[in-house]
Amino acid sequence: MRESALAPAREVAFVIPHPYVDALACFPEPIKALADEGWHVDLYTLLTPIHPVPFFGRDNVRLIPTDMSRRGTLSLVRALVTHRPKYRWIVTVPQWGLHVAAIAARLTGIPMGCISDERRSAAEATTDEQRKWKARERRAHQRCRWTIALTQAR
C-alpha cells in the first residue's frame, strides 16, 4: 500500500548491474533494511541463466532486469527519470551503474549514493578504455551525496 498523497512516497532505486547482487552483504542488507522500514525498493539488476535470481523475501522489493547494452542504458535512464512516484534516492555501484544513474540523477535532481564495490583502483586502469571509465566514475562520484567504500583502497 502506498503512502498518503500528503506524505512523499518512500521509493528508492538500486542500480546494481551484478548478477550476484544478493551474494555480498553490502547489497542485500540495505535493501532489506529499507524494505523493512516501509520503503518501496526497485532493484535494477542483471539476470543471467547461470546465477540464481536474487531473493529478498519482501513484497516491497521489485526486481527489474536490465542489461548493459546501449539500448539497456537508454531504457534504464528512461525508467529512472519517468518513474512515478519519483524516486527519493538512487543507490548504485561503479562503474556502468554509477555513470548511468548519474545521468538520471542530473536530469531529475534525485540524490544519489554509491556503494563502491570496485576492485580496481585508478592506478590499475591501464588501457584507454579503462582510463575513460575511471574518469567517468570520478565525475559521477562528484554527484553522489555519499559513498560507502568497502576497503581503504577504494
Side-chain angles (χ1 to χ4, degrees):
M1 183 167 163
R2 301 285 180 189
E3 295 180 20
S4 77
L6 299 176
R10 296 187 344 157
E11 303 269 338
V12 62
F14 276 74
V15 178
I16 306 175
H18 304 318
Y20 53 84
V21 69
D22 59 344
L24 302 172
C26 63
F27 302 134
E29 292 306 318
I31 290 170
K32 289 176 184 177
L34 286 167
D36 290 347
E37 290 295 320
W39 286 74
H40 298 271
V41 180
D42 286 345
L43 171 58
Y44 296 87
T45 192
L46 296 178
L47 299 179
T48 71
I50 62 170
H51 293 91
V53 174
F55 178 74
F56 296 94
R58 283 137 178 99
D59 292 338
N60 51 340
V61 176
R62 182 171 63 150
L63 295 180
I64 303 170
T66 190
D67 67 85
M68 296 169 55
S69 67
R70 286 184 190 266
R71 182 192 291 194
T73 299
L74 293 173
S75 293
L76 178 55
V77 169
R78 181 175 44 251
L80 293 170
V81 167
T82 62
H83 182 270
R84 295 296 178 261
K86 185 176 173 180
Y87 290 119
R88 300 252 310 263
W89 282 94
I90 300 173
V91 180
T92 189
V93 297
Q95 282 179 321
W96 179 84
L98 180 60
H99 173 68
V100 174
I103 294 168
R106 185 177 30 131
L107 292 171
T108 60
I110 298 170
M112 182 174 64
C114 181
I115 300 171
S116 186
D117 70 328
E118 267 293 302
R119 292 174 199 76
R120 288 192 179 134
S121 68
E124 294 174 308
T126 56
T127 68
D128 286 343
E129 185 69 15
Q130 290 171 340
R131 284 189 288 274
K132 184 169 77 173
W133 273 104
K134 277 296 176 186
R136 286 177 179 160
E137 181 181 339
R138 279 191 298 277
R139 285 190 305 273
H141 267 294
Q142 292 172 351
R143 300 199 69 79
C144 291
R145 295 273 180 96
W146 52 264
T147 298
I148 296 172
L150 301 181
T151 66
Q152 189 64 33
R154 295 177 189 167

